[in-house]
Amino acid sequence: MNSFSINRFGRTLRWLQNTNFRMMLAWFVGMVLLVFMGEMIAYSLMKGLDPDYMIRRIADFGTAVMYISSLAMISCFVLSIRDKRKRVGFLMLPSSNLEKYLSLVIYASVIWICCIFLAMVVGDSLRMAWFWVRDIYGYTYEGLSRAVMINGELVYWYSSALPRLLDNLNPFPTYSSEYYSIDTLFLVMKYVIVSSFLLWMHSLYTLGGTLLRKYAFVTTSLLFILCLVLFIKSMHYFELNMFQIHHEQGHAFSGEIGTVAYVLAVLLPLLSAFNYWASYRIFKGFQLITNKWLNYDFHK
């Protein structure tokens, strides 16, 4: 089968969901408990402070959990067919290699990440319900105020941390027109660089998860950190800048785009395309019995 069929792709994706439903449910419940207990521990450590501070720290904690768990799922996307029985069933499905590959990528990159986010919503809702019940039944907060006023809004101990979590997860911050009057090209290039970087990061973890059979997340993360360190060291050594904003009386009035930004705008998509191509090529060579450490036989 050389042609791509949406119908076969959907059936393959549904097969992955059905066969891994129990594992996903177990991870979902565990993540809910992790978020709830983490937020309760945060309260016990910060109850001497105001509720806004606690909620901001909870949002920071949730952001770290979201990023780490999402990258872990992407790098372990073949884990859903690691079992020999599941791998036999998956490889024998009446769908093309591309359909199988995309179903695995979508399953790990979209469905699993949505599941993680939903678990964080439920865990945070449990914390909100706990504090709301305490509040309506008149339990005191060790002499602390019930709420604080932040930017014209009351923040309670049972307020949600999700708005701040979404702000943290947003890779494209909103620039206020009051402080930023920079030309459009500067902002567009920043969006292009951030998008290209996220795409490259996804492709790198996808390639690591395809190639490595064990410790894919740890090994890929070490490589990712090494690449970042080398890049930052090179920027400092050669005194290069990607973006430079010029201020006048506290207002940004102009922005300068460095040569590195233009290079990365071209290089990162090319590296991403190579990573996806290499990942797909490795996937096409999947066998029932593979190397102890790798999913690909370089000697064949």
Side-chain angles (χ1 to χ4, degrees), residues 221-287:
S221 296
L222 291 176
L223 177 61
F224 174 71
I225 294 172
L226 177 63
C227 292
L228 284 184
V229 170
L230 290 177
F231 176 74
I232 294 173
K233 290 288 186 180
S234 300
M235 293 284 289
H236 283 298
Y237 181 80
F238 294 104
E239 298 181 350
L240 300 174
N241 288 315
M242 282 197 296
F243 300 101
Q244 187 172 4
I245 301 177
H246 302 285
H247 294 81
E248 185 176 280
Q249 297 180 351
H251 296 264
F253 67 91
S254 67
E256 181 181 344
I257 305 174
T259 306
V260 179
Y262 292 105
V263 172
L264 290 179
V266 177
L267 182 61
L268 287 177
L270 291 177
L271 290 176
S272 301
F274 172 79
N275 289 339
Y276 287 126
W277 172 83
S279 174
Y280 177 61
R281 182 178 176 84
I282 294 170
F283 173 79
K284 289 197 302 182
F286 269 20
Q287 303 294 328

Side-chain angles (χ1 to χ4, degrees), residues 1-5 8 95-99 280:
M1 288 176 285
N2 295 323
S3 60
F4 183 85
S5 171
R8 291 197 304 264
S95 55
S96 64
N97 287 327
L98 181 59
E99 292 159 1
Y280 177 61

Side-chain angles (χ1 to χ4, degrees), residues 71-79 101 200-224 274-276 278-280 282 286 293-296 298:
L71 292 176
M73 289 298 105
I74 294 172
S75 63
C76 301
F77 78 106
V78 296
L79 188 64
Y101 176 76
W200 171 75
M201 186 166 59
H202 181 273
S203 68
L204 179 66
Y205 277 86
T206 301
L207 176 59
T210 313
L211 175 62
L212 301 174
R213 187 173 182 180
K214 291 184 177 182
Y215 310 113
F217 173 68
V218 175
T219 305
T220 308
S221 296
L222 291 176
L223 177 61
F224 174 71
F274 172 79
N275 289 339
Y276 287 126
S279 174
Y280 177 61
I282 294 170
F286 269 20
W293 299 100
L294 303 176
N295 281 311
Y296 188 72
F298 289 96

Side-chain angles (χ1 to χ4, degrees), residues 137-205:
Y137 281 100
Y139 288 97
T140 60
Y141 293 91
E142 290 79 21
L144 303 178
S145 60
R146 295 178 61 248
V148 293
M149 183 71 71
I150 303 295
N151 296 328
E153 295 184 4
L154 285 174
V155 179
Y156 296 89
W157 292 97
Y158 55 80
S159 296
S160 175
L162 292 177
R164 289 183 174 86
L165 172 64
L166 292 175
D167 289 339
N168 291 343
L169 293 175
N170 182 16
F172 306 107
T174 302
Y175 295 97
S176 173
S177 58
E178 181 180 355
Y179 296 98
Y180 291 87
S181 57
I182 307 174
D183 58 350
T184 305
L185 178 61
F186 182 87
L187 298 179
V188 169
M189 281 300 298
K190 291 197 73 172
Y191 292 147
V192 169
I193 293 300
V194 172
S195 301
S196 301
F197 175 77
L198 293 176
L199 180 66
W200 171 75
M201 186 166 59
H202 181 273
S203 68
L204 179 66
Y205 277 86

